[in-house]
Coordinates of all heavy atoms in Angstrom, one line a residue:
V321 N -9.5 -21.3 -80.7 CA -9.3 -20.1 -81.6 C -7.9 -19.7 -81.7 O -7.3 -19.5 -82.8 CB -10.2 -18.9 -81.2 CG1 -9.9 -17.7 -81.9 CG2 -11.7 -19.3 -81.4
R324 N -5.9 -22.3 -83.6 CA -6.4 -22.5 -85.0 C -6.0 -21.3 -85.9 O -5.5 -21.5 -87.0 CB -7.9 -22.6 -85.0 CG -8.5 -22.8 -86.3 CD -10.1 -22.8 -86.2 NE -10.7 -24.0 -85.9 CZ -12.0 -24.2 -85.6 NH1 -12.7 -23.1 -85.5 NH2 -12.5 -25.4 -85.4
I325 N -6.1 -20.1 -85.4 CA -5.9 -19.0 -86.3 C -4.4 -18.5 -86.3 O -4.0 -17.7 -87.1 CB -6.8 -17.8 -86.0 CG1 -6.5 -17.0 -84.7 CG2 -8.3 -18.3 -86.0 CD1 -7.4 -15.9 -84.5
H359 N -16.0 -14.9 -80.3 CA -15.6 -15.3 -81.6 C -15.7 -16.8 -81.7 O -16.2 -17.4 -82.7 CB -14.2 -14.8 -82.0 CG -13.9 -15.0 -83.4 ND1 -14.5 -14.3 -84.4 CD2 -12.9 -15.7 -84.0 CE1 -14.0 -14.7 -85.6 NE2 -13.0 -15.6 -85.3
V363 N -18.7 -17.7 -84.1 CA -18.1 -17.7 -85.5 C -17.1 -18.8 -85.8 O -17.3 -19.7 -86.6 CB -17.5 -16.3 -85.8 CG1 -17.0 -16.2 -87.3 CG2 -18.4 -15.1 -85.6
C364 N -16.1 -18.8 -85.0 CA -15.0 -19.8 -85.2 C -15.3 -21.0 -84.3 O -14.6 -21.4 -83.4 CB -13.6 -19.2 -84.8 SG -12.3 -20.1 -85.4
T365 N -16.4 -21.6 -84.6 CA -17.0 -22.7 -83.8 C -16.2 -24.0 -84.0 O -15.4 -24.1 -85.0 CB -18.4 -23.0 -84.2 OG1 -18.5 -23.0 -85.6 CG2 -19.3 -21.8 -83.7
P369 N -16.3 -23.9 -88.4 CA -16.1 -22.5 -88.4 C -16.8 -21.8 -89.5 O -16.8 -22.3 -90.7 CB -14.6 -22.3 -88.4 CG -14.1 -23.6 -89.0 CD -15.1 -24.7 -88.6
R370 N -17.4 -20.6 -89.2 CA -18.2 -19.9 -90.2 C -17.3 -18.9 -91.0 O -17.5 -17.7 -90.9 CB -19.4 -19.2 -89.6 CG -20.3 -20.3 -88.9 CD -21.2 -19.7 -87.9 NE -22.2 -18.8 -88.5 CZ -23.0 -18.0 -87.8 NH1 -23.0 -18.1 -86.4 NH2 -23.9 -17.2 -88.4
C371 N -16.3 -19.5 -91.7 CA -15.3 -18.6 -92.3 C -15.8 -17.6 -93.3 O -15.4 -16.5 -93.3 CB -14.2 -19.5 -93.0 SG -13.5 -20.7 -91.8
P372 N -16.8 -18.0 -94.1 CA -17.2 -17.0 -95.1 C -17.7 -15.7 -94.5 O -17.7 -14.6 -95.1 CB -18.3 -17.7 -95.9 CG -18.0 -19.1 -95.8 CD -17.4 -19.3 -94.4
C374 N -16.7 -14.5 -91.5 CA -15.7 -14.1 -90.4 C -15.0 -12.8 -90.8 O -14.5 -12.6 -91.9 CB -14.7 -15.2 -90.3 SG -13.4 -14.8 -89.1
L375 N -15.0 -11.9 -89.8 CA -14.4 -10.6 -90.1 C -12.9 -10.5 -90.1 O -12.3 -9.5 -90.4 CB -15.0 -9.5 -89.1 CG -14.9 -9.7 -87.6 CD1 -13.5 -9.3 -87.1 CD2 -15.9 -8.8 -86.9
I376 N -12.3 -11.7 -89.7 CA -10.8 -11.7 -89.7 C -10.3 -12.8 -90.7 O -9.2 -13.3 -90.6 CB -10.2 -11.9 -88.3 CG1 -10.7 -13.2 -87.7 CG2 -10.4 -10.7 -87.5 CD1 -9.9 -13.6 -86.5
R377 N -11.2 -13.2 -91.6 CA -10.8 -14.3 -92.5 C -9.5 -14.1 -93.3 O -8.8 -15.0 -93.6 CB -12.0 -14.7 -93.4 CG -12.4 -13.7 -94.4 CD -13.7 -14.1 -95.0 NE -14.2 -13.1 -96.0 CZ -14.9 -12.0 -95.6 NH1 -15.2 -11.9 -94.3 NH2 -15.4 -11.2 -96.4
D378 N -9.3 -12.9 -93.7 CA -8.1 -12.6 -94.5 C -6.8 -12.6 -93.6 O -5.7 -12.5 -94.2 CB -8.2 -11.3 -95.2 CG -8.5 -10.1 -94.3 OD1 -9.3 -10.3 -93.4 OD2 -7.9 -9.0 -94.4
C380 N -6.4 -14.9 -91.0 CA -6.4 -16.1 -90.2 C -5.5 -17.2 -90.9 O -5.8 -17.5 -92.1 CB -7.8 -16.6 -90.0 SG -7.9 -18.3 -89.5
D381 N -4.6 -17.8 -90.2 CA -3.8 -18.9 -90.7 C -4.6 -20.1 -91.2 O -4.4 -20.7 -92.2 CB -2.8 -19.4 -89.7 CG -1.7 -18.4 -89.4 OD1 -1.6 -17.4 -90.2 OD2 -0.9 -18.7 -88.5
Y382 N -5.6 -20.5 -90.4 CA -6.4 -21.7 -90.6 C -7.2 -21.6 -91.9 O -7.2 -22.5 -92.7 CB -7.4 -21.9 -89.5 CG -8.3 -23.1 -89.6 CD1 -7.8 -24.3 -89.2 CD2 -9.6 -23.0 -90.0 CE1 -8.6 -25.4 -89.2 CE2 -10.4 -24.1 -90.0 CZ -9.9 -25.3 -89.6 OH -10.8 -26.4 -89.7
K383 N -7.8 -20.5 -92.2 CA -8.6 -20.3 -93.4 C -7.8 -20.5 -94.6 O -8.2 -21.1 -95.6 CB -9.2 -18.9 -93.3 CG -10.0 -18.4 -94.5 CD -9.2 -17.7 -95.6 CE -8.2 -16.7 -95.1 NZ -7.6 -16.1 -96.4
T386 N -7.5 -24.3 -95.4 CA -8.7 -25.2 -95.5 C -9.9 -24.6 -96.1 O -10.8 -25.4 -96.5 CB -9.1 -25.7 -94.1 OG1 -9.4 -24.6 -93.3 CG2 -7.9 -26.4 -93.4
V387 N -10.1 -23.3 -96.1 CA -11.4 -22.8 -96.5 C -11.3 -21.9 -97.7 O -10.5 -20.9 -97.7 CB -12.0 -22.1 -95.4 CG1 -13.4 -21.6 -95.8 CG2 -12.1 -23.0 -94.2
V389 N -12.6 -18.8 -99.4 CA -13.5 -17.7 -99.1 C -13.7 -16.8 -100.3 O -12.7 -16.5 -101.0 CB -12.8 -16.9 -98.0 CG1 -13.7 -15.7 -97.7 CG2 -12.6 -17.7 -96.7
Ligands
SF4_1748 S1 -11.6 -17.5 -91.0 FE1 -12.6 -19.4 -90.2 S2 -11.0 -20.4 -89.0 FE2 -10.3 -18.3 -89.3 S3 -11.0 -17.2 -87.5 FE3 -12.5 -17.0 -89.1 S4 -14.0 -18.6 -88.6 FE4 -12.1 -19.1 -87.6

Side-chain angles (χ1 to χ4, degrees):
V321 169
R324 183 186 269 170
I325 73 179
H359 189 64
V363 183
C364 195
T365 47
R370 298 162 67 187
C371 303
C374 173
L375 57 79
I376 57 165
R377 62 189 177 278
D378 56 317
C380 166
D381 286 355
Y382 180 81
K383 174 272 312 182
T386 60
V387 182
V389 178

